[in-house]
Amino acid sequence: MKISKDERGVKLAQAALGALAASYAPYSHFHVAAALLAEDGTVYIGNNIENASYPAGVCAERTAFFKAVGDGQRRFLAIAICGGKDGKAEDYCPPCGICRQVMREFCDPAEFKIFLAKQEGEIREYTLEELLPVSFGPDHVG
Protein backbone atom coordinates (compact mmCIF):
# COMPACT_ATOMS: atom_id res chain seq x y z
CA MET A 1 0.00 0.00 0.00
CA LYS A 2 1.12 3.51 -0.67
CA ILE A 3 -0.40 6.93 -0.23
CA SER A 4 -1.54 7.91 -3.69
CA LYS A 5 -0.49 11.02 -5.51
CA ASP A 6 -1.81 9.61 -8.79
CA GLU A 7 -4.00 12.25 -10.45
CA ARG A 8 -6.41 9.54 -11.66
CA GLY A 9 -6.85 8.51 -8.03
CA VAL A 10 -7.58 12.06 -6.90
CA LYS A 11 -10.15 12.67 -9.65
CA LEU A 12 -11.82 9.28 -9.18
CA ALA A 13 -11.89 9.77 -5.41
CA GLN A 14 -13.58 13.15 -5.86
CA ALA A 15 -16.18 11.57 -8.14
CA ALA A 16 -16.84 8.73 -5.68
CA LEU A 17 -17.10 11.07 -2.69
CA GLY A 18 -19.49 13.28 -4.67
CA ALA A 19 -21.72 10.30 -5.39
CA LEU A 20 -21.87 8.92 -1.85
CA ALA A 21 -25.25 10.50 -1.10
CA ALA A 22 -26.90 8.58 -3.96
CA SER A 23 -26.46 5.24 -2.17
CA TYR A 24 -29.61 3.41 -1.07
CA ALA A 25 -28.84 2.05 2.40
CA PRO A 26 -31.99 2.25 4.54
CA TYR A 27 -31.11 -0.86 6.58
CA SER A 28 -27.39 -0.72 7.35
CA HIS A 29 -27.04 3.06 6.86
CA PHE A 30 -23.59 2.23 5.44
CA HIS A 31 -23.27 4.15 2.18
CA VAL A 32 -20.69 3.23 -0.48
CA ALA A 33 -19.81 4.85 -3.80
CA ALA A 34 -17.36 3.87 -6.51
CA ALA A 35 -15.97 5.62 -9.59
CA LEU A 36 -14.66 3.23 -12.24
CA LEU A 37 -12.33 4.37 -15.03
CA ALA A 38 -12.70 2.50 -18.32
CA GLU A 39 -9.80 2.26 -20.75
CA ASP A 40 -11.46 4.80 -23.09
CA GLY A 41 -11.60 7.42 -20.31
CA THR A 42 -15.27 7.03 -19.42
CA VAL A 43 -16.03 7.10 -15.69
CA TYR A 44 -18.88 4.97 -14.35
CA ILE A 45 -20.39 5.72 -10.95
CA GLY A 46 -21.85 2.99 -8.78
CA ASN A 47 -23.57 3.00 -5.40
CA ASN A 48 -24.56 0.28 -3.01
CA ILE A 49 -28.25 -0.58 -3.25
CA GLU A 50 -29.78 -2.47 -0.34
CA ASN A 51 -32.95 -4.53 -0.39
CA ALA A 52 -35.29 -5.74 2.35
CA SER A 53 -34.35 -9.23 1.16
CA TYR A 54 -30.72 -8.67 2.14
CA PRO A 55 -29.01 -11.00 -0.37
CA ALA A 56 -30.71 -9.10 -3.22
CA GLY A 57 -28.66 -5.96 -2.55
CA VAL A 58 -25.56 -5.06 -4.55
CA CYS A 59 -22.27 -3.31 -3.80
CA ALA A 60 -21.23 0.00 -5.34
CA GLU A 61 -18.24 -1.53 -7.12
CA ARG A 62 -20.32 -4.18 -8.86
CA THR A 63 -22.94 -1.59 -9.78
CA ALA A 64 -20.25 0.47 -11.53
CA PHE A 65 -18.79 -2.56 -13.30
CA PHE A 66 -22.17 -3.86 -14.43
CA LYS A 67 -23.20 -0.45 -15.77
CA ALA A 68 -19.93 -0.24 -17.71
CA VAL A 69 -20.09 -3.80 -19.05
CA GLY A 70 -23.71 -3.21 -20.06
CA ASP A 71 -22.41 -0.22 -22.04
CA GLY A 72 -20.00 -2.49 -23.89
CA GLN A 73 -16.86 -1.70 -21.88
CA ARG A 74 -14.48 -4.59 -21.18
CA ARG A 75 -11.18 -3.01 -20.12
CA PHE A 76 -10.63 -0.90 -17.00
CA LEU A 77 -7.73 1.02 -15.49
CA ALA A 78 -8.76 2.04 -11.97
CA ILE A 79 -11.52 2.41 -9.41
CA ALA A 80 -11.95 4.69 -6.39
CA ILE A 81 -14.11 3.54 -3.49
CA CYS A 82 -15.39 5.39 -0.44
CA GLY A 83 -17.97 4.60 2.17
CA GLY A 84 -19.10 4.89 5.73
CA LYS A 85 -21.90 4.93 8.25
CA ASP A 86 -24.57 7.52 7.47
CA GLY A 87 -22.69 8.53 4.32
CA LYS A 88 -19.58 9.81 6.12
CA ALA A 89 -16.37 8.39 4.69
CA GLU A 90 -14.34 8.63 7.89
CA ASP A 91 -12.26 5.50 7.26
CA TYR A 92 -11.05 3.53 4.25
CA CYS A 93 -13.60 1.19 2.70
CA PRO A 94 -11.99 -1.73 0.84
CA PRO A 95 -13.97 -3.83 -1.65
CA CYS A 96 -15.50 -7.10 -0.48
CA GLY A 97 -14.31 -10.43 -1.84
CA ILE A 98 -17.11 -10.75 -4.38
CA CYS A 99 -16.30 -7.31 -5.81
CA ARG A 100 -12.61 -8.18 -5.99
CA GLN A 101 -13.51 -11.28 -7.99
CA VAL A 102 -15.67 -9.22 -10.39
CA MET A 103 -12.72 -6.86 -10.87
CA ARG A 104 -10.52 -9.87 -11.66
CA GLU A 105 -12.86 -10.85 -14.49
CA PHE A 106 -12.14 -7.64 -16.40
CA CYS A 107 -8.83 -6.30 -15.09
CA ASP A 108 -5.15 -7.13 -15.14
CA PRO A 109 -4.40 -7.79 -11.45
CA ALA A 110 -0.90 -6.34 -11.66
CA GLU A 111 -2.01 -3.13 -13.42
CA PHE A 112 -5.52 -2.33 -12.16
CA LYS A 113 -5.43 0.37 -9.46
CA ILE A 114 -7.78 0.49 -6.50
CA PHE A 115 -7.93 3.85 -4.70
CA LEU A 116 -9.53 3.93 -1.25
CA ALA A 117 -10.63 7.43 -0.24
CA LYS A 118 -11.60 9.13 3.01
CA GLN A 119 -13.59 12.32 3.43
CA GLU A 120 -10.46 14.23 4.40
CA GLY A 121 -9.03 13.65 0.93
CA GLU A 122 -6.65 10.93 2.05
CA ILE A 123 -6.19 8.25 -0.61
CA ARG A 124 -4.53 4.85 -0.37
CA GLU A 125 -3.49 3.06 -3.56
CA TYR A 126 -3.35 -0.68 -4.17
CA THR A 127 -3.23 -2.98 -7.16
CA LEU A 128 -5.87 -5.67 -7.49
CA GLU A 129 -3.06 -8.21 -7.13
CA GLU A 130 -2.25 -6.80 -3.66
CA LEU A 131 -5.88 -7.15 -2.55
CA LEU A 132 -6.55 -10.48 -4.31
CA PRO A 133 -3.32 -12.48 -4.35
CA VAL A 134 -3.15 -15.92 -6.00
CA SER A 135 -6.44 -15.19 -7.75
CA PHE A 136 -8.64 -17.28 -10.02
CA GLY A 137 -9.61 -15.62 -13.30
CA PRO A 138 -10.68 -16.08 -16.91
CA ASP A 139 -7.24 -17.43 -17.82
CA HIS A 140 -7.97 -20.50 -15.63
CA VAL A 141 -11.14 -21.47 -17.52
CA GLY A 142 -11.24 -23.11 -20.91
Side-chain angles (χ1 to χ4, degrees):
M1 180 274 302
K2 61 182 176 179
I3 303 302
S4 180
K5 298 195 185 324
D6 186 316
E7 185 159 329
R8 293 176 305 172
V10 172
K11 290 184 183 288
L12 289 171
Q14 290 170 340
L17 287 163
L20 198 52
S23 295
Y24 179 73
Y27 307 106
S28 73
H29 304 285
F30 195 90
H31 298 254
V32 182
L36 174 65
L37 177 62
E39 188 176 58
D40 73 355
T42 305
V43 175
Y44 291 86
I45 301 297
N47 295 90
N48 63 319
I49 303 167
E50 294 182 348
N51 190 285
S53 173
Y54 291 159
V58 67
C59 298
E61 302 90 327
R62 284 184 281 150
T63 300
F65 267 92
F66 296 162
K67 286 166 72 173
V69 171
D71 250 8
Q73 301 282 0
R74 296 295 185 273
R75 297 183 52 83
F76 304 95
L77 303 176
I79 192 168
I81 306 160
C82 64
K85 195 74 169 167
D86 298 320
K88 297 178 184 133
E90 297 174 332
D91 200 359
Y92 297 106
C93 184
C96 74
I98 295 171
C99 288
R100 293 174 198 204
Q101 192 61 48
V102 168
M103 292 175 195
R104 176 65 171 90
E105 182 72 19
F106 298 101
C107 305
D108 178 337
E111 298 295 322
F112 186 71
K113 301 288 185 185
I114 299 170
F115 300 102
L116 305 182
K118 287 175 34 173
Q119 203 70 283
E120 297 83 23
E122 297 174 51
I123 302 169
R124 288 187 178 172
E125 177 183 328
Y126 300 87
T127 63
L128 178 57
E129 189 170 61
E130 289 175 303
L131 297 184
L132 189 66
V134 193
S135 65
F136 182 86
D139 48 320
H140 291 95
V141 182

